[in-house]
Amino acid sequence: MVKGVLEGKALIIYQNSLAYAVDIYVPKTISVSPAEIETVIVGSKEDFIEDIGTNLSMIRRRIKSDCLKVLSYNIGTITSA
């Protein structure tokens, strides 16, 4: 069940004995263009962007582990951002 959730599937559990895995994953995609400033010889050709949801989607697509955790913090008191 953990592997299914990490692959983007929703689990429907019926009466604690029967479970269905339904594929609902729709990854956020961006058009990847080559880096203009730094050249990558080995490794990913993808770049992070300003949208945190898209960045997390790119990370989760590569790292499918239950050890990957995301923590969110609100820092600051004036803007609450």
Side-chain angles (χ1 to χ4, degrees):
M1 290 193 300
V2 172
K3 184 179 179 209
V5 171
L6 291 174
E7 291 174 351
K9 296 181 174 143
L11 293 177
I12 301 170
I13 301 173
Y14 181 71
Q15 295 182 351
N16 293 330
S17 61
L18 188 61
Y20 295 99
V22 181
D23 192 10
I24 61 167
Y25 181 62
V26 179
K28 290 186 174 185
T29 58
I30 60 169
S31 60
V32 178
S33 59
E36 297 175 5
I37 298 173
E38 298 176 356
T39 304
V40 177
I41 297 172
V42 177
S44 176
K45 307 289 191 274
E46 295 177 313
D47 294 328
F48 288 124
I49 61 170
E50 290 82 12
D51 181 39
I52 188 70
T54 304
N55 293 339
L56 288 174
S57 178
M58 290 189 315
I59 293 170
R60 288 187 188 279
R61 194 169 38 239
R62 288 192 178 267
I63 304 172
K64 294 180 181 174
S65 169
D66 59 345
C67 295
L68 176 64
K69 305 213 181 332
V70 177
L71 303 174
S72 297
Y73 296 98
N74 286 335
I75 298 174
T77 57
I78 297 174
T79 61
S80 298

